[in-house]
Structure formats: structure tokens, C-alpha cells
Amino acid sequence: MELVRGQHNLGARHRNCAATIGNFDGVHLGHQAVFNALREKAGQLAVPSTVILFEPQPMEFFQPQQAPPRLTRLREKLIHIRRCGIDRVVLLEFNQRLASLPAEDFTQQVLVDGLAIRHLYVGDDFRFGRERKGDFSLLQEVGEKQGFSVQGMDTICHDECRISSTRIREALASGDFTTAERCLGRPYQICGRVGHGDRRGRTIGFPTLNVNLHRRVSPVRGVFAVRVQGLGETDLPGVANVGTRPTVDGAGLPLLEVHLFDFEQEVYGAQIGVTFIEQIREEKKFSSFDELQQQILLDAARAKKILHI
């Protein structure tokens, strides 16, 4: 899969494609259905399938404090899109220039001049351009003049409810990993690189792998039974905490800390995936570090029971 970073990197060879535009946070079953339809249409037209993404996501630009937690970071999103068989991703920086661009100019500059799209998939409620004045009807109108077709995305449902990133966030927030998995088509996982921590866990017999989430807010928070991928041929069982560690300092961005059972290797710099199996409890502040230590022992025992080890 080719990644094109920025409109300025679009060249003649990127013209003529079937495309879709969106955030595609989580790359859930609804998104995957769109990508499958896009690939099929691209095959019929004998052109590449192209996904257009914005980074940051528009709401993160306009209202960073109110923006919902991301299900997937950009790196994870690109991995899942590639697994869907998409030929190309065009990544546009969502900045003040793009935010102030009239919808007609965005359509002309990106979709027509930059990509010369032949077919476009978008949601019926898709809005774009300055003051969000661009919509499905405008795209259809431009398409008729410029020679490309526009098609709405069919709603994908689970248990008679529409699959959406919002629904998955709500499921994760309530610890309902079964619903999240059914909507995603896979267990929920957070990926990241193991970094250095303060080594406080080692002093009480619970060393942790620390993963910076690189986000203001996490879709999951609390203590969980988990399985970790990326450190060998088999998944490794463990117990994880996601939060701001209120007993220790309680400040800063959320951190993912994973204690693996019977694992003593140092793996700084390793890229791992942490799959969430079941929530054990919510994060809380304890009156002392000793009290926290006793709770960690209980959490670990509970995680082992959940993971059948």
C-alpha cells in the first residue's frame, strides 16, 4: 500500500482512482465493508483504490478538548487499512488552510485536479469545506459536471444497532469488550512501543512494560486482564493499567502499563500489541503505596483467573 503524505505530493500517476473520504477511526466492520466495495468498484474501473484521511481528525483540530478518544492511532489505522487490500492512502494535514478552504475549492483541488477520481464513496452525512458547507448533494452536482459518480455508504448493523466508532467507544468505556469485538471484527487492541518508566513497579515485584499512548484521552481506563502480542510466537498473559496513576502522581497523559506473568526480559523499543480481555476494576487513588501494592496482588490474581492460568 502506498502512502502519499500531503496534497503537494500528488503527481500524475495518482490521477484516476476510486476513492473514499473519512476518519475511519477503528477501521470497524462498517469501514471494512466500504473498503471491500471500494476495491470491487476500483477493479471494475481498472483504477487504484484510494482512501483519503485527515490528520489530525477535523474535530481534534477545531475542538481538541472535546474530541472523542481515538480507537486507533494513525499507525494502527494504516496497518488495518492495508490489511483490507487498499492500494493507496492520501494523508492530508488538517490545518487552518484546509479548514478555511471552501467546499467547492476542496473538491476541485483535491478530488478533481489532484486525484481525477472516477468514483467516490462517502457517508450521507459527510460534511466538508469551510463552515462544513460541502455535502453529499454538492459532490453529486460536481460529479455530474466533472464525470465522476458518487455513492453513499450502506449502514452496517449489529444486533439491530448501527456499527459506528461512537458505539465502540461507548462499549469500551463500559468494559463491554464483546460488543466492541463484534463491531470491530477483531478483539480491541492498543499498539505501541515499549518505553522507559520510573521502575517503581520493580521495587514491589511487578515490573511493567510502559507504552506511551500519545493521546490526550484513552478509550479505555482502568485495570484489565490482557494478552500481549509481539514478544514471541505466542501471546503472553498479563494485567494492565491504563490511566494517569493517581496514587503515584496523577498528572499528565494516560499511560499503558502492562505486567506480564513470569516474564523478566527487558524489551525497551519493542513494538507490541495489547489485547484487552476483561476489565477488572476502574482506576482509583489509594491512600498509600502499600495499599496500592496489595491491590495489585489482587488484580494479578483476578487476571490469572480470567486468563485461565
Side-chain angles (χ1 to χ4, degrees):
M1 185 181 79
E2 180 185 9
L3 174 61
V4 182
R5 290 182 177 270
Q7 182 182 345
H8 61 284
N9 283 319
L10 290 175
R13 67 186 185 86
H14 298 121
R15 293 171 58 80
N16 291 308
C17 65
T20 184
I21 309 176
N23 290 326
F24 303 110
D25 187 26
V27 193
H28 55 60
L29 288 177
H31 299 146
Q32 293 170 41
V34 172
F35 296 155
N36 288 337
L38 178 64
R39 288 175 53 225
E40 183 176 348
K41 188 66 176 182
Q44 293 171 0
L45 297 172
V47 295
S49 55
T50 300
V51 173
I52 303 170
L53 300 176
F54 300 110
E55 186 67 26
Q57 295 175 172
M59 191 170 179
E60 293 171 342
F61 175 82
F62 288 115
Q63 297 176 298
Q65 299 304 316
Q66 286 75 46
R70 283 201 188 196
L71 298 173
T72 46
R73 290 176 55 206
L74 176 61
R75 184 181 187 277
E76 299 167 80
K77 186 188 298 185
L78 293 173
I79 289 172
H80 290 304
I81 292 175
R82 183 182 64 206
R83 287 174 180 167
C84 291
I86 295 299
D87 296 313
R88 180 180 298 140
V89 168
V90 175
L91 185 63
L92 301 178
E93 180 184 0
F94 199 89
N95 51 25
Q96 189 57 53
R97 186 196 71 81
L98 192 60
S100 60
L101 194 66
E104 295 83 358
D105 291 351
F106 175 85
T107 304
Q108 184 66 43
Q109 294 177 20
V110 177
L111 303 184
V112 178
D113 297 340
L115 291 169
I117 61 171
R118 301 275 301 282
H119 187 83
L120 180 66
Y121 280 100
V122 290
D124 292 339
D125 58 352
F126 179 63
R127 295 289 185 275
F128 66 102
R130 188 169 63 202
E131 298 177 357
R132 303 180 78 243
K133 289 186 175 180
D135 58 12
F136 190 84
S137 297
L138 175 64
L139 289 169
Q140 286 185 311
E141 182 181 321
V142 175
E144 290 176 4
K145 296 177 181 177
Q146 297 289 348
F148 65 84
S149 51
V150 183
Q151 185 174 347
M153 302 175 185
D154 294 330
T155 297
I156 305 298
C157 295
H158 168 255
D159 287 345
E160 300 183 355
C161 291
R162 177 176 179 266
I163 292 178
S164 68
S165 300
T166 298
R167 187 182 180 205
I168 296 168
R169 289 187 196 99
E170 291 171 349
L172 293 175
S174 65
D176 184 0
F177 291 103
T178 299
T179 294
E181 179 174 351
R182 287 173 178 167
C183 291
L184 287 165
R186 62 184 185 276
Y188 182 68
Q189 181 186 71
I190 290 179
C191 298
R193 193 174 300 280
V194 178
H196 291 273
D198 57 16
R199 293 178 174 262
R200 193 181 294 262
R202 290 181 184 276
T203 65
I204 58 173
F206 282 90
T208 59
L209 309 183
N210 301 298
V211 178
N212 191 327
L213 299 182
H214 297 287
R215 58 187 102 188
R216 184 183 59 81
V217 60
S218 169
V220 292
R221 197 180 188 98
V223 179
F224 306 87
V226 300
R227 292 192 179 276
V228 172
Q229 296 77 38
L231 296 177
E233 296 182 358
T234 60
D235 295 354
L236 301 178
V239 59
N241 181 81
V242 182
T244 56
R245 308 190 304 170
T247 305
V248 179
D249 47 40
L253 298 175
L255 179 71
L256 168 59
E257 302 171 288
V258 185
H259 171 71
L260 296 176
F261 302 126
D262 302 317
F263 184 86
E264 298 180 357
Q265 301 176 36
E266 290 200 352
V267 290
Y268 297 118
Q271 191 74 32
I272 64 172
V274 180
T275 299
F276 292 79
I277 307 302
E278 185 176 314
Q279 184 167 17
I280 295 173
R281 63 174 175 85
E282 296 182 353
E283 187 178 46
K284 61 174 291 188
K285 183 174 183 177
F286 294 92
S287 59
S288 67
F289 199 63
D290 287 340
E291 186 181 352
L292 171 62
Q293 181 178 2
Q294 292 304 311
Q295 183 61 55
I296 291 174
L297 290 169
L298 296 175
D299 295 338
R302 175 62 182 155
K304 287 181 178 180
K305 187 174 182 179
I306 292 170
L307 299 170
H308 305 292
I309 58 173

